[in-house]
């Protein structure tokens, strides 16, 4: 079983489908092998993608984030070559602006101002201290009370003279520092203007890049970043991360992605640790995922069809019927509706459960089949892998189930409010530390097999995160057989689909 450690995912803007691409243990192992070959790490994201070609062979793509090209690595997005000259011109202007800012920040007036300011502060402080001492002596003489008017006037004249000396020193300070301050302020204002000019040039270049950069997806669409994101503000570097590069290149080469993994290599920082795996970044990558993954959809395998019914092998991860919200619109019924087929699901399978799903082509057929389900005339056989070894070989689980309306769709065993629920089970194999079982539900309650396994057998189904089963790449529950009377011919139909795990 391929363990999944993360899903790259996004909502298709046209269909509302939730599209996912896993990061698996195999992808991580290949990425770890790549780590050993990186000789001059600059501190950036690296990544690999496993893609299946037309011959069914697996190819490995590798990429690094940021600009630059290297033999054997996925190139930058298509479009940069169209504006290479303009980019070089703007980058040269930006370098000129940068150098002018550096020169303005290092003009000699800064040092002259600091030196003169410190020098005048020392003089003013020394003069103030000297005058303070003189004042104390004058105050002492005045307090003696034996000075005549002439002597008192002399002391007052000395006081006035010292005030003039302080004033003169401050005026001299102003005269020396004023031209220095003017030059410094002029330089600072020019720096502000240059930084604004630099921001404008960078923004213009980014807009030009986003108009030129083209992204491709698996539906055959190709859009520029500018058209893709519309009026949304794009962070610098959008489109230059590993995931967009890898998915775009795979789409261009006709490879069907199987798994992908990204990691940080180089000096660790506050946000990134060397050798650690990371998902799609929220600012630059995640907004593009819905478009990039478009075309990678879970296929609907029709296992039986006639003029009245359709039976499909529903893949795990797909809803039977759409929910109320945008992220729950990808469903079996909606997919058929987009094909012009208005079908009615006769029963439902949980999103994470795979297997046979029966749909009616008319209301009369639906009613006839629904009655068979209600009368318990339909035989349903599920196969599951439990996350531990079970000692009992077979038996019936009889536990009433109740769904709290405040915590849908979670079900619990409730002897007062629960509805009668019975499930037959039989062990059909043991694989390592796991048990493989067949379940035949006699009733059709929500999550019946999952809760009966956890509460009735004391062991959760492998991958059942809702009811505390051991984590895995999927819920290991599959509806493998459905037997019923055809509503038109009255013949018994036995539909069987192999278990995929």
């Amino acid at each position: 079983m391929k363990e999944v450690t993360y899903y790259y995912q996004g909502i298709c803007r046209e269909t509302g489908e939730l599209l996912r691409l896993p990061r698996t243990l195999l992808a991580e192992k290949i990425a770890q092998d790549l780590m050993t070959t990186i000789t001059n790490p600059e501190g950036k994201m690296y990544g690999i993608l496993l893609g299946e070609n037309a011959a069914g062979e697996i190819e490995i793509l590798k990429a690094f984030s940021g600009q630059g090209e290297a033999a054997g690595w996925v190139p930058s997005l298509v479009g940069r070559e169209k504006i290479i000259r303009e980019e070089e011109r703007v980058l040269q202007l930006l370098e000129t602006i940068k150098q002018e800012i550096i020169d303005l920040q290092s003009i000699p007036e800064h040092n002259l101002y600091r030196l003169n300011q410190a020098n005048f502060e020392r003089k003013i402080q020394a003069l103030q201290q000297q005058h303070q001492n003189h004042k104390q002596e004058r105050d002492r003489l005045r307090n003696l009370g034996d000075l005549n008017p002439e002597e008192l006037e002399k002391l007052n004249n000395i006081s006035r003279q010292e005030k003039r000396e302080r004033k003169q020193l401050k005026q001299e300070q102003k005269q020396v520092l004023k031209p220095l301050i003017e030059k410094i302020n002029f330089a600072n204002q020019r720096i502000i203007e240059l930084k604004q000019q630099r921001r404008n040039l960078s923004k213009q270049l980014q807009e030009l890049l986003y108009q030129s950069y083209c992204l491709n997806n698996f539906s055959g669409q190709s859009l520029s970043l500018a058209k893709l994101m519309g009026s949304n503000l794009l962070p610098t570097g959008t489109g230059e991360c590993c995931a967009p590069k890898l998915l775009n290149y795979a789409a261009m080469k006709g490879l069907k992605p199987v798994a992908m993994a990204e990691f940080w290599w180089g000096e660790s920082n506050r946000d990134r640790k060397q050798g650690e795996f990371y998902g799609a970044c929220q600012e630059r990558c995640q907004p593009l995922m819905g478009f990039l993954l478009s075309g990678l959809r879970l296929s609907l395998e029709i296992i039986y069809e006639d003029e009245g019914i359709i039976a499909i092998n529903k893949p795990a991860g797909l809803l039977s019927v759409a929910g109320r919200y945008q992220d729950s619109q990808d469903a079996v019924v909606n997919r058929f509706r987009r094909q012009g087929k208005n079908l009615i699901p006769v029963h439902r399978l949980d999103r994470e459960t795979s297997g046979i799903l029966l749909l009616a082509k008319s209301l009369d057929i639906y009613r006839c089949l629904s009655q068979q389900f209600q009368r318990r005339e339909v035989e349903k056989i599920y196969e599951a892998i439990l996350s531990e070894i079970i000692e009992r070989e077979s038996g019936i689980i009889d536990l009433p189930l109740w769904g709290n309306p405040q915590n849908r769709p979670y079900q619990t065993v409730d002897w007062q409010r629960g509805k009668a629920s019975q499930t037959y089970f039989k062990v059909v194999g043991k694989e390592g530390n796991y048990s493989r079982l067949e379940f035949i539900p006699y009733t059709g309650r929500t999550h019946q097999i999952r809760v009966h396994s956890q509460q009735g057998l004391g062991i959760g189904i492998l991958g059942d995160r809702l009811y505390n089963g051991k984590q895995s790449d999927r819920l290991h529950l599959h509806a493998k057989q459905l037997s019923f009377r055809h509503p038109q011919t009255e013949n018994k139909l036995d539909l069987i689909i192999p278990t995929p795990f």
Side-chain angles (χ1 to χ4, degrees):
M1 291 173 285
K2 294 190 295 183
E3 297 285 351
V4 174
T5 57
Y6 172 80
Y7 279 105
Y8 295 89
Q9 60 185 29
I11 302 295
C12 178
R13 301 192 308 174
E14 295 182 356
T15 66
E17 298 174 33
L18 176 64
L19 307 168
R20 303 198 300 179
L21 177 65
R23 181 178 74 213
T24 63
L25 291 179
L26 175 60
E28 290 186 0
K29 174 62 172 62
I30 294 171
Q32 287 166 345
D33 292 339
L34 177 61
M35 294 177 193
T36 64
T37 69
I38 302 173
T39 54
N40 294 311
E42 301 175 18
K44 62 174 63 176
M45 293 294 294
Y46 293 80
I48 63 99
L49 181 144
L50 306 181
E52 182 180 330
N53 61 26
E57 302 166 332
I58 297 297
E59 297 184 21
I60 301 173
L61 304 179
K62 58 182 182 178
F64 54 81
S65 61
Q67 301 177 12
E69 308 287 332
W73 296 80
V74 167
S76 298
L77 299 185
V78 174
R80 175 178 287 275
E81 69 282 354
K82 298 178 183 178
I83 60 163
I84 191 70
R85 290 185 180 178
E86 178 63 14
E87 184 181 18
E88 289 175 354
R89 185 187 72 82
V90 173
L91 291 176
Q92 188 174 1
L93 277 175
L94 292 174
E95 183 60 32
T96 301
I97 291 172
K98 176 185 175 182
Q99 190 56 52
E100 187 175 349
I101 290 174
I102 292 173
D103 292 341
L104 288 169
Q105 289 173 335
S106 59
I107 58 175
E109 282 75 11
H110 286 289
N111 283 333
L112 287 173
Y113 176 83
R114 285 191 291 268
L115 291 172
N116 281 284
Q117 175 71 354
N119 186 40
F120 276 108
E121 285 180 355
R122 286 193 298 270
K123 288 182 178 180
I124 291 172
Q125 187 177 3
L127 188 62
Q128 287 177 337
Q129 184 61 51
Q130 180 184 359
H131 289 175
Q132 181 66 28
N133 294 337
H134 292 170
K135 181 178 183 302
Q136 290 176 355
E137 179 60 22
R138 289 195 298 273
D139 290 343
R140 187 186 67 78
L141 293 174
R142 289 190 184 100
N143 291 333
L144 291 176
D146 55 357
L147 296 176
N148 58 40
E150 247 182 62
E151 290 172 327
L152 286 172
E153 182 61 24
K154 183 178 180 181
L155 292 178
N156 291 336
N157 286 335
I158 293 173
S159 177
R160 286 190 285 270
Q161 177 62 30
E162 289 180 344
K163 287 181 180 180
R164 286 192 292 272
E165 288 177 0
R166 292 197 299 273
K167 184 177 180 181
Q168 183 178 355
L169 183 58
K170 289 183 178 180
Q171 287 176 341
E172 183 182 347
Q173 178 191 33
K174 185 177 180 180
Q175 290 173 354
V176 172
L177 296 182
K178 182 179 179 181
L180 298 176
I181 292 174
E182 289 176 349
K183 289 186 177 180
I184 291 171
N185 287 340
F186 177 82
N188 288 340
Q189 182 59 38
R190 178 60 179 160
I191 288 172
I192 292 173
E193 294 171 358
L194 288 170
K195 287 183 175 180
Q196 183 61 47
Q197 184 180 347
R198 183 172 64 184
R199 281 193 292 270
N200 292 338
L201 282 170
S202 297
K203 182 180 179 182
Q204 291 170 10
L205 179 59
Q206 286 296 331
E207 289 176 351
L208 188 59
L209 283 171
Y210 295 150
Q211 290 169 2
S212 302
Y213 270 166
C214 285
L215 281 170
N216 299 272
N217 64 20
F218 302 93
S219 295
Q221 296 174 305
S222 180
L223 287 178
S224 69
L225 276 174
K227 289 183 178 179
L228 183 59
M229 300 303 291
S231 59
N232 294 336
L233 183 62
L234 299 177
T236 301
T238 300
E240 294 178 351
C241 296
C242 292
K245 283 185 176 182
L246 289 166
L247 290 169
N248 172 74
Y249 192 76
M252 292 175 63
K253 295 300 179 182
L255 297 177
K256 179 183 178 182
V258 176
M260 185 166 62
E262 294 178 284
F263 61 91
W264 177 265
W265 196 255
E267 185 177 350
S268 299
N269 55 44
R270 185 179 62 181
D271 301 318
R272 295 284 188 264
K273 302 295 183 184
Q274 177 166 290
E276 292 289 323
F277 290 98
Y278 295 93
C281 63
Q282 291 300 312
E283 291 185 349
R284 298 177 182 84
C285 293
Q286 193 54 54
L288 305 175
M289 280 298 150
F291 175 81
L292 286 167
L293 294 172
S294 291
L296 286 183
R297 58 189 299 173
L298 301 171
S299 61
L300 294 181
E301 178 190 357
I302 297 177
I303 60 175
Y304 179 87
E305 182 176 9
D306 59 28
E307 61 182 14
I309 61 176
I310 287 181
I312 69 163
N313 179 18
K314 188 190 82 67
L318 181 64
L319 288 166
S320 300
V321 178
R324 289 182 295 173
Y325 304 107
Q326 179 64 27
D327 63 351
S328 59
Q329 294 306 299
D330 186 24
V332 171
V333 172
N334 280 7
R335 288 194 182 183
F336 277 118
R337 187 171 293 136
R338 285 193 291 271
Q339 299 174 16
K341 300 177 180 178
N342 292 316
L343 304 177
I344 309 170
V346 181
H347 62 120
R348 299 187 185 186
L349 296 178
D350 295 344
R351 183 179 207 158
E352 302 305 327
T353 301
S354 60
I356 300 173
L357 181 68
L358 186 62
L359 303 103
K361 292 185 176 182
S362 69
L363 190 58
D364 288 340
I365 298 293
Y366 165 75
R367 287 170 177 161
C368 181
L369 289 170
S370 292
Q371 289 173 2
Q372 291 187 49
F373 274 89
Q374 291 169 7
R375 293 194 296 262
R376 300 180 185 178
E377 297 172 354
V378 178
E379 184 180 19
K380 298 170 285 185
I381 301 179
Y382 290 75
E383 190 166 323
I385 293 180
L386 272 56
S387 55
E388 296 177 23
I389 293 295
I390 182 173
E391 299 301 327
R392 298 166 61 186
E393 291 298 322
S394 63
I396 295 178
I397 304 165
D398 189 355
L399 296 173
L401 299 181
W402 178 72
N404 186 338
Q406 304 300 320
N407 190 24
R408 294 183 185 275
Y410 193 82
Q411 304 290 308
T412 58
V413 174
D414 192 307
W415 293 96
Q416 283 74 41
R417 294 170 292 186
K419 294 182 179 180
S421 308
Q422 297 88 31
T423 306
Y424 172 79
F425 72 92
K426 178 177 70 174
V427 177
V428 294
K430 295 180 181 180
E431 304 168 15
N433 296 323
Y434 302 138
S435 301
R436 184 177 290 271
L437 275 73
E438 279 187 354
F439 287 101
I440 299 177
Y442 296 148
T443 52
R445 313 300 180 201
T446 300
H447 295 178
Q448 177 174 319
I449 295 175
R450 298 164 69 175
V451 179
H452 276 182
S453 177
Q454 177 67 34
Q455 297 295 319
L457 303 179
I459 304 173
I461 295 175
L462 184 64
D464 191 347
R465 301 185 182 186
L466 186 59
Y467 296 103
N468 300 318
K470 185 176 180 182
Q471 289 196 4
S472 184
D473 58 334
R474 60 157 292 177
L475 173 68
H476 285 69
L477 179 61
H478 178 74
K480 71 174 186 179
Q481 185 169 342
L482 191 69
S483 301
F484 58 96
R485 284 183 298 102
H486 194 286
Q488 293 170 307
T489 66
E490 293 294 323
N491 294 329
K492 184 180 180 183
L493 278 180
D494 290 313
L495 302 179
I496 301 174
I497 189 72
T499 301
F501 47 80

